[in-house]
Amino acid sequence: MASAEDTYAALADAIGKRPKAVEAYGLRLRSNGWLVRGKRGRGSLPIDNAQAAKLLLALLSGGPSEPDEFMPTYATACVMPAASDEPVVRMMRVILGLSDNARFLDFITALVWLFRDGSTDQLIYHAPFEDGQVDDWVYDGPNIDIRVHGPFPVATIKFHLASPLIEKLVAMGCDHEQLLGEQMIVFLHEIYGHHADAMKQRKSTRKYDKAIEKLREDSERGIGFERFIGGRQISAVAAALRDSDDKMVIAETRSDAP
């Protein structure tokens, strides 16, 4: 696992901020139990896929002071019930190793692993720029768009499907034309998922109806916002985690040397 400092530095570079600015999010998450507490000292707090995903999600909040309310709301957001069984969503869950009831944070965590493992071509289409076509500072890696919207809580994940995945979906009977262009997975407040589950089980939805009505009423007030991260930020975190893996392998190899 990478150290927190390495992860903060990688993310800071990806978003154009100082490492201390990113660290402020990590400290807030630690104080509220979202990140594990480590011993004091540089490099003492390890970061794994799940914790890196939490840090990425926290960066989508309005600032280091806001994850307290932001994280529980968006981390647990569920796939929009009407789209949960669509072929693209089902295949995405299979590729990412997710269960049918996986939440927004679960998807981000799995995407961190996909980037870390270098397996993005299973899911995401990417055609690198030709040499000399763009400046060196332009991100030229597999891209995926992760957004949050408010005050009514909505989250989305957008990307272009990898060609082999399109072929699989067409073989399953999907319309080829509908698989071209950007695909979007929509996530809603988890109360919508509970409401859909109750309907499937033919149980009363009264308490969920009231909760949804309250959510809609509360979100009628407030400043609208939209924030997003992309492949650059996920790649930065994945690289920090991957570098840590490489260092660990080198250290183990040296320790095994005669």
Side-chain angles (χ1 to χ4, degrees), residues 41-222:
R42 181 173 179 78
S44 61
L45 177 64
I47 294 285
D48 59 13
N49 295 337
Q51 296 194 77
K54 292 172 185 176
L55 186 57
L56 283 166
L57 182 55
L59 287 174
L60 291 172
S61 67
S65 65
E66 294 194 11
D68 300 12
E69 295 183 7
F70 178 88
M71 291 294 289
T73 298
Y74 286 90
T76 60
C78 65
V79 175
M80 184 171 64
S84 183
D85 291 328
E86 289 183 352
V88 170
V89 178
R90 292 205 310 268
M91 286 300 296
M92 186 177 183
R93 284 196 296 249
V94 169
I95 292 170
L96 296 178
L98 296 173
S99 65
D100 290 347
N101 63 349
R103 298 305 199 228
F104 187 50
L105 180 59
D106 298 323
F107 276 79
I108 299 175
T109 302
L111 286 169
V112 169
W113 174 255
L114 201 70
F115 275 74
R116 178 181 181 175
D117 194 43
S119 302
T120 55
D121 57 353
Q122 296 181 29
L123 178 67
I124 305 166
Y125 174 77
H126 170 56
F129 292 113
E130 295 181 6
D131 289 342
Q133 191 172 0
V134 295
D135 294 326
D136 292 340
W137 52 264
V138 173
Y139 173 70
D140 187 19
N143 200 32
I144 193 159
D145 184 297
I146 299 176
R147 295 181 182 248
V148 295
H149 309 251
F152 183 80
V154 176
T156 58
I157 295 178
K158 297 187 285 188
F159 61 99
H160 289 79
L161 295 172
S163 298
L165 180 54
I166 290 179
E167 293 176 4
K168 289 182 182 179
L169 289 166
V170 169
M172 293 167 55
C174 295
D175 186 337
H176 182 266
E177 293 298 318
Q178 293 184 358
L179 300 175
L180 301 178
E182 194 171 57
Q183 304 294 307
M184 181 169 70
I185 315 298
V186 178
F187 297 79
L188 301 176
H189 193 284
E190 67 173 338
I191 198 68
Y192 285 90
H194 296 317
H195 183 277
D197 290 341
M199 290 188 65
K200 288 180 181 179
Q201 298 170 19
R202 297 184 177 181
K203 295 181 179 179
S204 173
T205 62
R206 184 177 302 174
K207 65 178 181 179
Y208 302 122
D209 292 333
K210 290 182 177 179
I212 289 173
E213 183 178 356
K214 183 67 165 59
L215 175 66
R216 294 179 63 185
E217 178 184 354
D218 291 345
S219 61
E220 279 295 313
R221 297 178 291 272

